[in-house]
PDB file of all heavy atoms in Angstrom:
ATOM      1  N   ILE O  51      -3.847 192.945-106.967  1.00  0.00           N
ATOM      2  CA  ILE O  51      -2.778 193.219-105.961  1.00  0.00           C
ATOM      3  C   ILE O  51      -2.446 191.872-105.403  1.00  0.00           C
ATOM      4  O   ILE O  51      -2.960 191.398-104.384  1.00  0.00           O
ATOM      5  CB  ILE O  51      -3.258 194.134-104.799  1.00  0.00           C
ATOM      6  CG1 ILE O  51      -3.890 195.457-105.250  1.00  0.00           C
ATOM      7  CG2 ILE O  51      -2.171 194.351-103.801  1.00  0.00           C
ATOM      8  CD1 ILE O  51      -4.301 196.387-104.148  1.00  0.00           C
ATOM      9  N   GLY O 110     -14.699 188.324 -95.117  1.00  0.00           N
ATOM     10  CA  GLY O 110     -14.702 188.877 -96.384  1.00  0.00           C
ATOM     11  C   GLY O 110     -13.514 189.537 -96.839  1.00  0.00           C
ATOM     12  O   GLY O 110     -13.406 190.024 -97.979  1.00  0.00           O
ATOM     13  N   SER O 111     -12.487 189.720 -95.968  1.00  0.00           N
ATOM     14  CA  SER O 111     -11.204 190.443 -96.399  1.00  0.00           C
ATOM     15  C   SER O 111     -10.079 190.033 -95.495  1.00  0.00           C
ATOM     16  O   SER O 111     -10.181 189.419 -94.478  1.00  0.00           O
ATOM     17  CB  SER O 111     -11.409 191.919 -96.223  1.00  0.00           C
ATOM     18  OG  SER O 111     -11.620 192.216 -94.872  1.00  0.00           O
ATOM     19  N   GLY O 112      -8.871 190.412 -95.931  1.00  0.00           N
ATOM     20  CA  GLY O 112      -7.659 190.213 -95.186  1.00  0.00           C
ATOM     21  C   GLY O 112      -7.674 190.972 -93.882  1.00  0.00           C
ATOM     22  O   GLY O 112      -7.173 190.425 -92.810  1.00  0.00           O
ATOM     23  N   THR O 113      -8.197 192.170 -93.861  1.00  0.00           N
ATOM     24  CA  THR O 113      -8.320 192.949 -92.623  1.00  0.00           C
ATOM     25  C   THR O 113      -9.099 192.071 -91.571  1.00  0.00           C
ATOM     26  O   THR O 113      -8.545 191.868 -90.458  1.00  0.00           O
ATOM     27  CB  THR O 113      -9.122 194.185 -92.870  1.00  0.00           C
ATOM     28  OG1 THR O 113      -8.383 194.983 -93.863  1.00  0.00           O
ATOM     29  CG2 THR O 113      -9.332 195.040 -91.557  1.00  0.00           C
ATOM     30  N   GLU O 114     -10.239 191.533 -91.900  1.00  0.00           N
ATOM     31  CA  GLU O 114     -11.001 190.847 -91.002  1.00  0.00           C
ATOM     32  C   GLU O 114     -10.326 189.508 -90.621  1.00  0.00           C
ATOM     33  O   GLU O 114     -10.421 188.975 -89.437  1.00  0.00           O
ATOM     34  CB  GLU O 114     -12.390 190.389 -91.587  1.00  0.00           C
ATOM     35  CG  GLU O 114     -13.302 191.533 -91.818  1.00  0.00           C
ATOM     36  CD  GLU O 114     -14.530 191.079 -92.626  1.00  0.00           C
ATOM     37  OE1 GLU O 114     -14.430 191.178 -93.876  1.00  0.00           O
ATOM     38  OE2 GLU O 114     -15.475 190.561 -92.095  1.00  0.00           O
ATOM     39  N   ASP O 116      -7.055 188.998 -90.283  1.00  0.00           N
ATOM     40  CA  ASP O 116      -6.036 189.304 -89.291  1.00  0.00           C
ATOM     41  C   ASP O 116      -6.680 189.720 -88.034  1.00  0.00           C
ATOM     42  O   ASP O 116      -6.209 189.331 -86.930  1.00  0.00           O
ATOM     43  CB  ASP O 116      -5.125 190.500 -89.826  1.00  0.00           C
ATOM     44  CG  ASP O 116      -4.166 190.068 -90.794  1.00  0.00           C
ATOM     45  OD1 ASP O 116      -4.068 188.797 -91.132  1.00  0.00           O
ATOM     46  OD2 ASP O 116      -3.446 190.869 -91.341  1.00  0.00           O
ATOM     47  N   TYR O 139       2.043 195.293 -92.726  1.00  0.00           N
ATOM     48  CA  TYR O 139       0.722 195.887 -93.106  1.00  0.00           C
ATOM     49  C   TYR O 139      -0.356 194.769 -92.845  1.00  0.00           C
ATOM     50  O   TYR O 139      -0.135 193.580 -93.100  1.00  0.00           O
ATOM     51  CB  TYR O 139       0.642 196.176 -94.615  1.00  0.00           C
ATOM     52  CG  TYR O 139      -0.628 196.793 -95.075  1.00  0.00           C
ATOM     53  CD1 TYR O 139      -0.774 198.186 -95.036  1.00  0.00           C
ATOM     54  CD2 TYR O 139      -1.737 195.996 -95.365  1.00  0.00           C
ATOM     55  CE1 TYR O 139      -2.016 198.803 -95.456  1.00  0.00           C
ATOM     56  CE2 TYR O 139      -2.960 196.575 -95.734  1.00  0.00           C
ATOM     57  CZ  TYR O 139      -3.041 198.003 -95.750  1.00  0.00           C
ATOM     58  OH  TYR O 139      -4.267 198.655 -96.071  1.00  0.00           O
ATOM     59  N   SER O 140      -1.418 195.255 -92.104  1.00  0.00           N
ATOM     60  CA  SER O 140      -2.436 194.286 -91.744  1.00  0.00           C
ATOM     61  C   SER O 140      -3.842 194.672 -92.177  1.00  0.00           C
ATOM     62  O   SER O 140      -4.801 193.987 -91.871  1.00  0.00           O
ATOM     63  CB  SER O 140      -2.498 194.140 -90.178  1.00  0.00           C
ATOM     64  OG  SER O 140      -1.300 193.657 -89.799  1.00  0.00           O
ATOM     65  N   GLY O 141      -4.055 195.932 -92.731  1.00  0.00           N
ATOM     66  CA  GLY O 141      -5.347 196.316 -93.253  1.00  0.00           C
ATOM     67  C   GLY O 141      -5.863 197.561 -92.577  1.00  0.00           C
ATOM     68  O   GLY O 141      -4.996 198.319 -92.093  1.00  0.00           O
ATOM     69  N   ARG O 142      -7.098 197.924 -92.733  1.00  0.00           N
ATOM     70  CA  ARG O 142      -7.569 199.264 -92.513  1.00  0.00           C
ATOM     71  C   ARG O 142      -8.602 199.401 -91.434  1.00  0.00           C
ATOM     72  O   ARG O 142      -9.234 200.500 -91.438  1.00  0.00           O
ATOM     73  CB  ARG O 142      -7.993 199.862 -93.883  1.00  0.00           C
ATOM     74  CG  ARG O 142      -8.988 198.870 -94.655  1.00  0.00           C
ATOM     75  CD  ARG O 142      -9.463 199.593 -95.859  1.00  0.00           C
ATOM     76  NE  ARG O 142      -9.991 200.918 -95.525  1.00  0.00           N
ATOM     77  CZ  ARG O 142     -11.109 201.132 -94.859  1.00  0.00           C
ATOM     78  NH1 ARG O 142     -11.865 200.147 -94.562  1.00  0.00           N
ATOM     79  NH2 ARG O 142     -11.358 202.353 -94.472  1.00  0.00           N
ATOM     80  N   ASN O 146      -6.319 197.193 -87.079  1.00  0.00           N
ATOM     81  CA  ASN O 146      -5.285 196.859 -88.132  1.00  0.00           C
ATOM     82  C   ASN O 146      -4.461 198.066 -88.465  1.00  0.00           C
ATOM     83  O   ASN O 146      -3.316 197.833 -88.918  1.00  0.00           O
ATOM     84  CB  ASN O 146      -5.939 196.177 -89.302  1.00  0.00           C
ATOM     85  CG  ASN O 146      -6.583 194.878 -89.015  1.00  0.00           C
ATOM     86  OD1 ASN O 146      -6.974 194.658 -87.834  1.00  0.00           O
ATOM     87  ND2 ASN O 146      -6.515 193.872 -89.864  1.00  0.00           N
ATOM     88  N   GLU O 211       4.184 188.695 -91.543  1.00  0.00           N
ATOM     89  CA  GLU O 211       4.068 188.129 -92.868  1.00  0.00           C
ATOM     90  C   GLU O 211       5.350 187.488 -93.225  1.00  0.00           C
ATOM     91  O   GLU O 211       6.453 188.017 -92.947  1.00  0.00           O
ATOM     92  CB  GLU O 211       3.932 189.299 -93.871  1.00  0.00           C
ATOM     93  CG  GLU O 211       2.808 190.275 -93.618  1.00  0.00           C
ATOM     94  CD  GLU O 211       2.939 191.626 -94.233  1.00  0.00           C
ATOM     95  OE1 GLU O 211       2.901 191.756 -95.470  1.00  0.00           O
ATOM     96  OE2 GLU O 211       3.141 192.618 -93.558  1.00  0.00           O
ATOM     97  N   ILE O 213       6.931 187.085 -95.910  1.00  0.00           N
ATOM     98  CA  ILE O 213       7.639 188.205 -96.712  1.00  0.00           C
ATOM     99  C   ILE O 213       6.729 189.334 -96.644  1.00  0.00           C
ATOM    100  O   ILE O 213       5.496 189.219 -96.943  1.00  0.00           O
ATOM    101  CB  ILE O 213       7.875 187.765 -98.132  1.00  0.00           C
ATOM    102  CG1 ILE O 213       8.732 186.541 -98.263  1.00  0.00           C
ATOM    103  CG2 ILE O 213       8.464 188.874 -98.978  1.00  0.00           C
ATOM    104  CD1 ILE O 213       8.942 185.996 -99.645  1.00  0.00           C
ATOM    105  N   GLY O 215       4.513 192.360 -97.598  1.00  0.00           N
ATOM    106  CA  GLY O 215       3.921 192.721 -98.869  1.00  0.00           C
ATOM    107  C   GLY O 215       4.010 194.269 -99.100  1.00  0.00           C
ATOM    108  O   GLY O 215       4.994 194.700 -99.742  1.00  0.00           O
ATOM    109  N   VAL O 216       3.085 194.949 -98.414  1.00  0.00           N
ATOM    110  CA  VAL O 216       3.111 196.426 -98.598  1.00  0.00           C
ATOM    111  C   VAL O 216       4.529 197.022 -98.150  1.00  0.00           C
ATOM    112  O   VAL O 216       4.905 198.001 -98.752  1.00  0.00           O
ATOM    113  CB  VAL O 216       1.984 197.068 -97.825  1.00  0.00           C
ATOM    114  CG1 VAL O 216       1.982 198.544 -97.743  1.00  0.00           C
ATOM    115  CG2 VAL O 216       0.617 196.539 -98.341  1.00  0.00           C
ATOM    116  N   ASP O 244       0.695 185.769 -91.362  1.00  0.00           N
ATOM    117  CA  ASP O 244      -0.170 186.475 -92.268  1.00  0.00           C
ATOM    118  C   ASP O 244       0.227 186.151 -93.676  1.00  0.00           C
ATOM    119  O   ASP O 244       1.183 186.692 -94.115  1.00  0.00           O
ATOM    120  CB  ASP O 244      -0.203 187.939 -91.917  1.00  0.00           C
ATOM    121  CG  ASP O 244      -1.002 188.718 -92.862  1.00  0.00           C
ATOM    122  OD1 ASP O 244      -1.352 188.322 -93.936  1.00  0.00           O
ATOM    123  OD2 ASP O 244      -1.180 189.910 -92.596  1.00  0.00           O
ATOM    124  N   GLU O 245      -0.480 185.276 -94.266  1.00  0.00           N
ATOM    125  CA  GLU O 245      -0.159 184.847 -95.734  1.00  0.00           C
ATOM    126  C   GLU O 245      -1.111 185.452 -96.711  1.00  0.00           C
ATOM    127  O   GLU O 245      -1.390 184.883 -97.720  1.00  0.00           O
ATOM    128  CB  GLU O 245      -0.254 183.328 -95.698  1.00  0.00           C
ATOM    129  CG  GLU O 245       0.568 182.538 -94.807  1.00  0.00           C
ATOM    130  CD  GLU O 245       1.806 181.986 -95.396  1.00  0.00           C
ATOM    131  OE1 GLU O 245       2.073 182.324 -96.568  1.00  0.00           O
ATOM    132  OE2 GLU O 245       2.592 181.299 -94.692  1.00  0.00           O
ATOM    133  N   VAL O 246      -1.564 186.647 -96.387  1.00  0.00           N
ATOM    134  CA  VAL O 246      -2.451 187.311 -97.257  1.00  0.00           C
ATOM    135  C   VAL O 246      -1.762 187.579 -98.698  1.00  0.00           C
ATOM    136  O   VAL O 246      -2.373 187.484 -99.755  1.00  0.00           O
ATOM    137  CB  VAL O 246      -2.992 188.633 -96.672  1.00  0.00           C
ATOM    138  CG1 VAL O 246      -3.695 189.548 -97.729  1.00  0.00           C
ATOM    139  CG2 VAL O 246      -3.875 188.432 -95.544  1.00  0.00           C
ATOM    140  N   GLN O 247      -0.455 187.858 -98.631  1.00  0.00           N
ATOM    141  CA  GLN O 247       0.216 188.102 -99.924  1.00  0.00           C
ATOM    142  C   GLN O 247       1.094 186.861-100.330  1.00  0.00           C
ATOM    143  O   GLN O 247       1.284 186.576-101.444  1.00  0.00           O
ATOM    144  CB  GLN O 247       1.199 189.253 -99.827  1.00  0.00           C
ATOM    145  CG  GLN O 247       0.360 190.560 -99.566  1.00  0.00           C
ATOM    146  CD  GLN O 247       0.943 191.833-100.280  1.00  0.00           C
ATOM    147  OE1 GLN O 247       1.926 191.799-101.044  1.00  0.00           O
ATOM    148  NE2 GLN O 247       0.253 192.950-100.018  1.00  0.00           N
ATOM    149  N   THR O 270      -3.469 183.317 -91.577  1.00  0.00           N
ATOM    150  CA  THR O 270      -4.549 184.151 -92.253  1.00  0.00           C
ATOM    151  C   THR O 270      -4.152 184.277 -93.710  1.00  0.00           C
ATOM    152  O   THR O 270      -3.045 184.201 -94.072  1.00  0.00           O
ATOM    153  CB  THR O 270      -4.612 185.506 -91.664  1.00  0.00           C
ATOM    154  OG1 THR O 270      -3.396 186.258 -91.943  1.00  0.00           O
ATOM    155  CG2 THR O 270      -4.902 185.557 -90.192  1.00  0.00           C
ATOM    156  N   ALA O 272      -6.114 185.791 -97.721  1.00  0.00           N
ATOM    157  CA  ALA O 272      -7.146 186.488 -98.388  1.00  0.00           C
ATOM    158  C   ALA O 272      -6.764 186.605 -99.881  1.00  0.00           C
ATOM    159  O   ALA O 272      -6.379 185.573-100.487  1.00  0.00           O
ATOM    160  CB  ALA O 272      -7.429 187.892 -97.711  1.00  0.00           C
ATOM    161  N   LYS O 273      -6.766 187.823-100.466  1.00  0.00           N
ATOM    162  CA  LYS O 273      -6.314 188.171-101.757  1.00  0.00           C
ATOM    163  C   LYS O 273      -6.413 187.015-102.804  1.00  0.00           C
ATOM    164  O   LYS O 273      -7.439 186.736-103.422  1.00  0.00           O
ATOM    165  CB  LYS O 273      -4.843 188.655-101.696  1.00  0.00           C
ATOM    166  CG  LYS O 273      -4.767 190.131-101.139  1.00  0.00           C
ATOM    167  CD  LYS O 273      -3.513 190.714-101.430  1.00  0.00           C
ATOM    168  CE  LYS O 273      -3.182 191.950-100.663  1.00  0.00           C
ATOM    169  NZ  LYS O 273      -4.023 193.105-100.988  1.00  0.00           N
ATOM    170  N   MET O 281     -12.665 187.289-100.002  1.00  0.00           N
ATOM    171  CA  MET O 281     -12.541 186.135 -99.142  1.00  0.00           C
ATOM    172  C   MET O 281     -11.512 186.330 -98.138  1.00  0.00           C
ATOM    173  O   MET O 281     -10.411 186.764 -98.419  1.00  0.00           O
ATOM    174  CB  MET O 281     -12.177 184.936-100.068  1.00  0.00           C
ATOM    175  CG  MET O 281     -11.706 183.660 -99.341  1.00  0.00           C
ATOM    176  SD  MET O 281     -12.860 182.803 -98.296  1.00  0.00           S
ATOM    177  CE  MET O 281     -13.866 182.205 -99.542  1.00  0.00           C
ATOM    178  N   ARG O 402       7.017 196.420-106.855  1.00  0.00           N
ATOM    179  CA  ARG O 402       6.603 195.042-106.499  1.00  0.00           C
ATOM    180  C   ARG O 402       6.150 194.358-107.902  1.00  0.00           C
ATOM    181  O   ARG O 402       5.338 194.925-108.604  1.00  0.00           O
ATOM    182  CB  ARG O 402       5.451 195.029-105.558  1.00  0.00           C
ATOM    183  CG  ARG O 402       5.832 195.418-104.192  1.00  0.00           C
ATOM    184  CD  ARG O 402       4.767 195.127-103.208  1.00  0.00           C
ATOM    185  NE  ARG O 402       3.661 196.142-103.148  1.00  0.00           N
ATOM    186  CZ  ARG O 402       2.607 195.984-102.548  1.00  0.00           C
ATOM    187  NH1 ARG O 402       2.247 194.825-101.994  1.00  0.00           N
ATOM    188  NH2 ARG O 402       1.589 196.955-102.585  1.00  0.00           N
TER     189      ARG O 402
HETATM  190  N1  PMP A   1      -2.381 191.533 -94.557  1.00  0.00           N
HETATM  191  C1  PMP A   1      -1.625 191.702 -95.571  1.00  0.00           C
HETATM  192  C2  PMP A   1      -0.251 191.136 -95.476  1.00  0.00           C
HETATM  193  C3  PMP A   1      -1.951 192.474 -96.625  1.00  0.00           C
HETATM  194  O1  PMP A   1      -1.135 192.681 -97.680  1.00  0.00           O
HETATM  195  C4  PMP A   1      -3.295 193.117 -96.716  1.00  0.00           C
HETATM  196  C5  PMP A   1      -3.737 193.871 -97.877  1.00  0.00           C
HETATM  197  N2  PMP A   1      -2.796 194.567 -98.629  1.00  0.00           N
HETATM  198  C6  PMP A   1      -4.172 192.826 -95.613  1.00  0.00           C
HETATM  199  C7  PMP A   1      -3.659 192.016 -94.631  1.00  0.00           C
HETATM  200  C8  PMP A   1      -5.556 193.373 -95.574  1.00  0.00           C
HETATM  201  O2  PMP A   1      -6.296 192.780 -96.574  1.00  0.00           O
HETATM  202  P1  PMP A   1      -7.643 193.528 -97.167  1.00  0.00           P
HETATM  203  O3  PMP A   1      -7.167 194.684 -98.047  1.00  0.00           O
HETATM  204  O4  PMP A   1      -8.284 192.415 -98.001  1.00  0.00           O
HETATM  205  O5  PMP A   1      -8.449 193.868 -96.032  1.00  0.00           O
END
Side-chain angles (χ1 to χ4, degrees):
I51 307 183
S111 67
T113 299
E114 291 170 271
D116 283 358
Y139 185 91
S140 299
R142 47 173 312 287
N146 295 34
E211 302 160 71
I213 295 175
V216 173
D244 176 345
E245 301 260 5
V246 170
Q247 298 216 3
T270 63
K273 287 198 192 293
M281 163 67 67
R402 289 192 281 165

